[in-house]
Amino acid sequence: MSLRLRLVLTLWLVTLLAGALTVGFAATAAYETADRSTRNTLTRAGYALERAYHMEPRAGDPLYTEMTSIKLLGLMAPGTCIRFEQRLISERRICASWQMFGPIAPDGFRKTVTRVFGPVAPATGEGRAPGGGIFSVEVTFDPVAAATLAWQRVRLALWQTLGMAAGVLFLGTLAIYSRLEPVGPIVRGLDRLSAGDLDTRVTRSGAPEFRKIADAVNRLAQQLTASTEARRVLTRRLIEVEDVERRQLARDLHDEFGQMLTATAALAASIGLAAPPGHPALARDAEAIGANIRAMMTCLRGAFARLRPPDLDEVGLTASLRGMLSGWQAQSGARLRLDSTLDEDGLSGAVALDLYRIVQECVTNAMRHGTPSRVDVALHAEGDAIVLTVEDDGGGHIDGGAPGHGLIGMAERTEAMGGRLRLEEGARGVRIRVRLPMARGRSAA
């Protein structure tokens, strides 16, 4: 869920909460009004009864009671009821009309507010008349009238709240979406950066804070680009140095160990030929020494092939790969196949050497860590890129652990050339896919 949508939902929830609080305050204010009306009615009624004793000494007159009730009705607040006693007057109870509150509140609302607020507390009082007379007054508020008053207040507050909430939600939603418009490009830019697209730049827009964030993201992208390029150059240089050292090592092995082994083999052969007929063991030992030397020379030639690739400029990449795969096929018995449609014209020596080394490492890993019956190598051009795929059926798996030195070396070569390496699980083994840019102007070391 996006930030803007979360903020809009939060605004709606806050508005709903504010509406609920407004409804609660309106109902509370209605019951406070009812309580205040009850107490005010008690004060006015007590004062009117005391005056009635002083100014109208006709308490025995039957009309006196009715006139007192009429006077009290004029002083009562809507919804209140008065119960009073006077000399020579039995207890009476009169109630004021509350139709001015409007239609009666719904039954469910009446039950809810009565359960929450309870009935309005009655107000009681006593007074003394001349001659020792005592009268009592009790004022109550009709529960249905109180609930109806609360209903009318709540309805009014609810309509006002809905009108205000509609405006707030509409304007607030527009403000959130317009103000947070720059967040989307910033997040998408960061996602592209995390995916390795270091050419990403974020457009400066919106509030000053968002413009500062966009500047920071762009500076980060520039720094990452510079550091990545510096690392590629360093890695490329290290790989070139490593290739030079491999060539030097192969040359030393050929010049030193190769000559020594050749001389030793010749010496063993001369010993075998010069052995006296009466010492057959000496001839056998000389032959065994020669066999060991031949085996050592075979291993040494394999090391030469791994350390020093064929002359790619003279032979070509495709022919060099076919020769390497043929050697592995003769040695392991597996079927190694090369499918290449790559046009090698203009292909730099550095790229050719990297491709050769990557294929060499892939085949070595397949033979060392599995038992493949076939290894398929595909080399094609896709636009301005070279795509290399090596797949075997040796039953290997990607365990997600720490990669080995061979995979690290392939990844370093690929990254140094500005390419991408992807390791996948095939149907019966492992598939390695490498994508390298074709345009490189460096030669092989």
Side-chain angles (χ1 to χ4, degrees), residues 396-427:
H397 297 283
I398 303 173
D399 55 7
H405 294 290
L407 185 59
I408 293 176
M410 288 189 290
E412 289 177 347
R413 282 185 179 272
T414 304
E415 185 179 0
M417 300 299 287
R420 295 193 304 271
L421 182 144
R422 189 169 61 195
L423 189 63
E424 305 170 346
E425 285 197 8

Side-chain angles (χ1 to χ4, degrees), residues 24 26 101 158 171 206 208 210 214 223 233 266 306-307 329 363 376 409 436:
F101 294 159
L158 191 58
L171 296 177
F210 290 129
Q223 293 173 1
V233 172
R306 290 190 294 273
L307 289 174
Q329 182 167 307
V363 175
D376 294 327
L436 289 177

Side-chain angles (χ1 to χ4, degrees), residues 178-203:
S178 61
R179 291 293 184 179
L180 297 183
E181 181 66 27
V183 173
I186 291 174
V187 173
R188 289 191 293 271
L190 290 173
D191 289 339
R192 290 195 295 271
L193 280 178
S194 64
D197 184 6
L198 302 183
D199 295 330
T200 297
R201 296 296 182 268
V202 178
T203 303

Side-chain angles (χ1 to χ4, degrees), residues 129-188:
I134 299 176
F135 64 89
S136 62
V137 182
E138 181 185 61
V139 181
T140 58
F141 206 95
D142 187 273
V144 178
T148 301
L149 176 61
W151 172 247
Q152 298 305 323
R153 294 281 184 89
V154 166
R155 287 181 60 189
L156 179 61
L158 191 58
W159 282 112
Q160 293 175 343
T161 302
L162 287 176
M164 181 181 65
V168 169
L169 291 175
F170 177 73
L171 296 177
T173 302
L174 289 181
I176 289 174
Y177 270 82
S178 61
R179 291 293 184 179
L180 297 183
E181 181 66 27
V183 173
I186 291 174
V187 173
R188 289 191 293 271

Side-chain angles (χ1 to χ4, degrees), residues 264-283:
T264 305
L267 180 61
S270 64
I271 292 174
L273 293 175
H279 296 81
L282 183 60

